[in-house]
Amino acid sequence: MPDVPEDVDTQVFRKVEKHPPAAHPHQHRKPTGGGAPGAVPDSPAASGRPVAPGNPAAPGSADRGVRKPVTPPPAAEAPPVAGTPAEAPLAAEPPAPSARDERGGRRRLVSALWPPRVTRAQLVVALLLFGLGLGLAIQVSSTSDNSALRGARQEDLVRILDELDDRTQRLEDEKARLEKQRSELESSSDQAEEARKQTQEKERQLGILAGTVAAEGPGITLSVGDPTGAVESDMLLDAIQELRAAGAEAIQVNGVRVVADSYFTGSGDDMRIDGTQVAAPYVFKVIGKPEDLEPALNIPGGVVQTLEKEQAAVTVERSPKIVVDALRPAKRPDYAQSSSQ
């Protein structure tokens, strides 16, 4: 009988039969049919069933003949190497505070702050701080009062210093004169006559100050024009005070003698001095040292600048002879009496 050539499928099947796949050490086959336990047919030929050439293998025969690889189990994790920092476990999140805890915390805070508990040491520190603050406030206030002098020019400061030196010199001269009078009284043979002379001289001086005696001497003339009626009585009083501080010995304003108890009232058309009405321009006749009187009026922020801010016309003139002839009647004091024996 002639040999029939085999087709391609048959040749492939024969090759598979000659080299069956090795069984996996962990794989067990399920026994089928009546074969011996553990015997697994690898192919149709092994089971004794003929296979016609050129026919495809029965379904599932190839699957049973070829084994699928089994995935090995995962290897155990290697232990961490010594010296390698292990991963720290995650910290558990703190629980959120409840509304009751918040209210309790507020109550504890309020009870700790109120009522305040003040100790003796805290009270002493508070008093010291209060005293320090008060002293600083007084210092700042006194410094602000001298702001006009801080802004003055060097020439004005020198002139003011000269005025202070002149006042000091006048006081020294007055002291020397009084000491001389005392020595004359002590050494005079006729003490009664010398005392009478000194009393007359003192009366004349006091009469000039009291306005009961006319006076003349060097001084200045201050004229204040008031076209707008803005000059107030306190402005004229400031001028009087500034002149007295500069050494004025006798002052007369529009025919009214100004003395220690003089007063100014009204303003504009109703300006009055000691109850006597005066009208602008206001003319001050002042006896004293002109070198002291004029600079005292012209200092920065002084009388002249204050009046000029009110649109007043101010002029100051020096004169070698000023006559103050307005008099005031002598008044006998009602209650004051001499305490000398």
Side-chain angles (χ1 to χ4, degrees):
M1 185 176 181
D3 296 333
V4 180
E6 295 179 355
D7 56 0
V8 178
D9 295 334
T10 304
Q11 294 176 2
V12 172
F13 184 76
R14 288 185 182 279
K15 290 180 180 181
V16 173
E17 270 188 334
K18 292 179 180 180
H19 305 282
H24 196 275
H26 300 285
Q27 185 175 6
H28 301 280
R29 294 188 178 182
K30 183 178 181 182
T32 57
V40 180
D42 293 335
S43 63
S47 61
R49 292 192 301 269
V51 179
N55 294 333
S61 59
D63 296 335
R64 289 193 296 269
V66 181
R67 297 177 182 176
K68 296 181 180 180
V70 180
T71 305
E77 295 182 358
V81 182
T84 304
E87 294 184 358
L90 297 177
E93 295 184 358
S98 61
R100 182 177 300 176
D101 296 339
E102 292 181 357
R103 288 195 295 270
R106 293 195 188 99
R107 292 196 198 98
R108 288 193 296 272
L109 180 61
V110 172
S111 63
L113 295 178
W114 188 264
R117 300 175 179 83
V118 181
T119 62
R120 181 177 299 178
Q122 293 174 346
L123 183 60
V124 172
V125 172
L127 292 176
L128 291 177
L129 292 176
F130 175 76
L132 179 61
L134 182 62
L136 291 176
I138 295 175
Q139 180 67 24
V140 171
S141 177
S142 62
T143 303
S144 62
D145 294 340
N146 298 329
S147 58
L149 294 179
R150 287 203 308 268
R153 298 175 301 175
Q154 183 177 1
E155 295 81 1
D156 299 329
L157 294 176
V158 172
R159 185 169 59 249
I160 294 173
L161 184 60
D162 292 341
E163 293 176 8
L164 295 176
D165 294 338
D166 293 339
R167 294 179 188 177
T168 304
Q169 185 63 38
R170 287 197 302 271
L171 293 175
E172 292 291 340
D173 294 342
E174 181 69 14
K175 177 182 176 181
R177 185 178 63 81
L178 293 176
E179 290 177 351
K180 180 180 178 181
Q181 289 179 359
R182 184 183 64 180
S183 62
E184 289 176 354
L185 288 174
E186 292 175 354
S187 61
S188 175
S189 57
D190 192 355
Q191 296 184 356
E193 182 64 20
E194 187 65 26
R196 186 181 64 81
K197 291 181 180 180
Q198 292 187 6
T199 301
Q200 291 178 349
E201 180 65 20
K202 194 69 174 179
E203 180 183 6
R204 186 181 66 83
Q205 295 176 359
L206 294 176
I208 294 175
L209 297 177
T212 59
V213 178
E216 65 179 23
I220 63 170
T221 301
L222 170 66
S223 299
V224 180
D226 186 18
T228 61
V231 176
E232 302 288 340
S233 58
D234 58 343
M235 299 178 185
L236 300 182
L237 183 59
D238 289 342
I240 295 296
Q241 299 293 351
E242 194 67 36
L243 291 170
R244 284 174 175 170
E249 298 175 354
I251 304 175
Q252 175 180 321
V253 181
N254 286 20
V256 179
R257 187 73 170 265
V258 178
V259 292
D261 59 350
S262 295
Y263 59 91
F264 291 72
T265 58
S267 62
D269 296 336
D270 192 26
M271 184 75 68
R272 294 177 181 272
I273 304 176
D274 296 337
T276 303
Q277 185 174 6
V278 294
Y282 309 106
V283 180
F284 292 69
K285 293 183 178 181
V286 186
I287 296 177
K289 189 177 181 180
E291 292 78 7
D292 296 339
L293 299 175
E294 182 181 6
L297 298 175
N298 290 319
I299 61 174
V303 175
V304 174
Q305 287 191 0
T306 302
L307 293 173
E308 289 178 348
K309 288 181 181 179
E310 302 297 334
Q311 308 300 322
V314 184
T315 58
V316 181
E317 296 180 359
R318 297 184 185 185
S319 177
K321 182 179 181 181
I322 297 292
V323 178
V324 176
D325 52 3
L327 303 179
R328 292 175 62 92
K331 293 183 180 181
R332 184 181 182 86
D334 297 330
Y335 304 99
Q337 298 179 0
S338 177
S339 59
S340 60
Q341 299 297 330

